[in-house]
Amino acid sequence: MAKTTTRKEKFYVVDLIRDRSGLKYIEIPKSRVDVEIEITTKGTLKTPKEAPTAVFDRLEKVGRAEFDRYEKIITEEAAKLDAKIGVLMQQPSGKGQKQAIELTKTANTMIKQAIAGAQGAADKAIADALKKEGQRDSLLKEARIKTGFKVTMGVVKIGGSVAKLVATSGADVTSYKTIVTELYGLGKELQQQLKNEAKLRKDLLGGVKAMLDERGTAIDQAIKRSGLTDTSGIDVKNPKQALATLMGKLKSTSAEVLGDKSPKEVLGTVMKYVQAKIKSKMADVEKARQAYRNHNTKTRHKTDSLSGSADKLSKAMKAAKNLKEGVAIGAKMMGVKRKVSVLAAKLEEREKFLDDMQDIMKSGGLEIDDKTTLQKLKALDPSTILSEGQDLWDAIKEVKGLVDNVVEAAS
């Protein structure tokens, strides 16, 4: 005798509209969608069978795909609405505010219709997917499916920024507050980031010095091992020149000293000995160089983000023609941007230097002389970046104080 078995599984979309970052004038509440899939299959009294978990997972996947598709539609329409309200708010007025409210009513209807469409599309997609499953699995051939939806959402409304725009004759203080808070946060992150630079530079300098010392000792040892007694004029601190001088001396050295090797072979033995001796020290240098380079890259990224935030606030101040404090804040922002540019240029210099540091590794560390390398390292003044970073942070705090005063006055 046949026996039907019903299995239910649930999944949910935590928020049908996940990205609201581009919305400036409207507020869309979280829209949760709960979905229940119910599959009834046939078996026997002795061996009742139910749809496996894997099938439910695949059905959930196609259902989610439809909600994702409709999410894009809803998000795009919301962005269009936000842009329309933005046009109205270019010249804020009570009339414009009323028009904005009417636009949001239309948006509510649109979103409800879109959600209904999403449910219908998901329902059909799940049913079609089960039908395909039945073509591969006899258990599901005559299976019946039922999909239930529950949508929880509030009402779309204009944001508080619109009302404040109207009240302050176009001074979008809420927007200013958002931007300066972002600027302040990025400045704080940058300040913390710069604190680590001194140690990383110290590690790099120490590693290079240790490698150069080891290299000089190794060259001296290798020359002595070659049997050459005349070492005059060989400067181990300039390995390239030292090896050239050594080659000249080897050419005039007797066959008795060289044995069965040519001057070129003896020089090659010296170079291999030195490279083997400094291998671990060079690895330490490269590790320190990479750590410093990665830190520098992160710092540059934070500086770039801060630059973008500074641009936004500067642009907002230029547009705030009716804001009395806008000129003063704008002037301060010009100072912030100049400091950001100087810091960014310094970071680019350091990045180029750290890339150039790879030259130390050329020919196993035998091309760069001690003097040039150490001069390059000393040319990196970490205190300059730290002091400029502190100047930038002080300027950001000053701007934040001015914007906070404007926000407080408008609230």
Side-chain angles (χ1 to χ4, degrees):
M1 182 181 292
K3 175 178 173 58
T4 59
T5 304
T6 299
R7 179 177 176 182
K8 299 178 181 179
E9 293 291 338
K10 296 180 179 180
F11 73 89
Y12 65 90
V13 178
V14 66
D15 190 358
L16 190 56
I17 308 162
R18 289 168 291 187
D19 184 9
R20 297 171 172 77
S21 60
L23 302 180
K24 184 178 179 182
Y25 300 104
I26 61 173
E27 296 174 1
I28 300 181
K30 180 178 282 191
S31 303
R32 176 176 169 131
V33 182
D34 290 274
V35 184
E36 182 178 80
I37 301 174
E38 177 184 304
I39 301 177
T40 302
T41 52
K42 287 184 179 181
T44 66
L45 288 175
K46 289 184 179 180
T47 58
K49 295 181 179 179
E50 63 177 25
T53 299
V55 172
F56 280 95
D57 289 343
R58 289 193 288 272
L59 297 182
E60 176 183 336
K61 186 176 180 180
V62 298
R64 283 188 183 278
E66 289 302 316
F67 284 113
D68 287 345
R69 186 165 67 88
Y70 272 82
E71 177 193 22
K72 184 178 180 182
I73 294 171
I74 295 171
T75 303
E76 288 175 352
E77 290 300 319
K80 290 177 184 177
L81 167 66
D82 198 73
K84 288 179 181 179
I85 295 177
V87 172
L88 289 174
M89 289 303 107
Q90 287 179 4
Q91 292 185 332
S93 66
K95 182 180 178 181
Q97 185 176 353
K98 288 179 181 178
Q99 288 178 292
I101 292 171
E102 289 301 314
L103 285 172
T104 59
K105 291 180 181 178
T106 303
N108 276 298
T109 302
M110 177 275 295
I111 291 177
K112 287 178 181 178
Q113 289 174 345
I115 289 176
Q119 292 176 26
D123 190 39
K124 185 177 184 305
I126 291 170
D128 289 346
L130 183 65
K131 187 176 180 180
K132 288 183 180 179
E133 293 277 347
Q135 294 172 359
R136 298 190 295 265
D137 187 344
S138 59
L139 168 68
L140 302 172
K141 190 170 185 179
E142 298 180 16
R144 288 182 287 109
I145 188 163
K146 179 180 177 183
T147 312
F149 300 92
K150 178 185 176 184
V151 181
T152 306
M153 71 167 289
V155 178
V156 179
K157 59 183 180 180
I158 60 169
S161 60
V162 173
K164 286 195 174 184
L165 268 174
V166 174
T168 57
S169 300
D172 188 355
V173 293
T174 303
S175 173
Y176 306 156
K177 177 68 174 179
T178 300
I179 300 171
V180 82
T181 300
E182 175 188 280
L183 182 72
Y184 184 85
L186 290 169
K188 187 71 175 176
E189 288 179 14
L190 182 61
Q191 184 197 35
Q192 293 300 316
Q193 179 80 8
L194 289 174
K195 288 180 180 179
N196 299 323
E197 188 195 27
K199 180 182 182 303
L200 290 168
R201 181 179 176 278
K202 182 180 178 182
D203 290 344
L204 179 60
L205 180 60
V208 171
K209 284 182 176 178
M211 189 274 284
L212 295 177
D213 290 343
E214 183 77 10
R215 187 179 65 181
T217 301
I219 292 174
D220 187 53
Q221 290 173 346
I223 291 173
K224 289 177 180 177
R225 283 163 58 95
S226 72
L228 189 69
T229 56
D230 178 15
T231 59
S232 60
I234 297 178
D235 181 8
V236 296
K237 292 183 178 295
N238 189 333
K240 197 171 182 180
Q241 184 180 327
L243 293 172
T245 304
L246 174 60
M247 185 61 177
K249 290 179 179 294
L250 288 171
K251 287 179 179 179
S252 60
T253 300
S254 66
E256 183 179 350
V257 174
L258 296 177
D260 60 349
K261 292 184 178 180
S262 68
K264 187 175 182 181
E265 287 173 327
V266 173
L267 184 68
T269 300
V270 169
M271 291 177 68
K272 286 180 181 178
Y273 177 85
V274 175
Q275 289 167 346
K277 278 283 189 179
I278 67 172
K279 186 176 180 181
S280 65
K281 298 293 185 184
M282 288 180 66
D284 292 341
V285 171
E286 178 59 10
K287 183 178 178 181
R289 187 191 73 83
Q290 288 183 6
Y292 194 2
R293 182 199 61 194
N294 292 342
H295 175 274
N296 196 78
T297 300
K298 288 180 182 178
T299 305
R300 182 169 52 78
H301 288 166
K302 290 183 183 298
T303 305
D304 289 347
S305 296
L306 196 150
S307 176
S309 185
D311 287 341
K312 284 194 286 186
L313 189 55
S314 293
K315 185 177 180 180
M317 289 303 103
K318 285 181 181 178
K321 297 176 181 178
N322 297 322
L323 184 65
K324 182 176 66 175
E325 296 86 348
V327 175
I329 296 173
K332 292 292 182 183
M333 281 308 304
M334 288 301 294
V336 169
K337 290 176 71 174
R338 280 194 297 270
K339 294 179 189 298
V340 169
S341 296
V342 171
L343 183 57
K346 292 285 184 182
L347 290 167
E348 282 187 20
E349 288 175 11
R350 275 159 173 71
E351 194 151 317
K352 184 178 183 302
F353 165 79
L354 290 165
D355 287 338
D356 291 344
M357 278 291 294
Q358 287 181 310
D359 288 342
I360 291 176
M361 309 303 167
K362 284 182 180 178
S363 298
L366 294 175
E367 284 200 5
I368 303 298
D369 64 271
D370 293 26
K371 184 178 179 181
T372 301
T373 302
L374 292 174
Q375 281 177 343
K376 282 187 175 182
L377 280 168
K378 289 176 181 177
L380 271 182
D381 182 5
S383 64
T384 301
I385 275 189
L386 285 172
S387 60
E388 287 170 348
Q390 185 59 48
D391 289 346
L392 175 58
W393 174 234
D394 290 340
I396 289 172
K397 287 192 291 184
E398 190 173 358
V399 169
K400 186 176 184 297
L402 292 173
V403 174
D404 286 346
N405 290 338
V406 172
V407 173
E408 185 178 352
S411 62

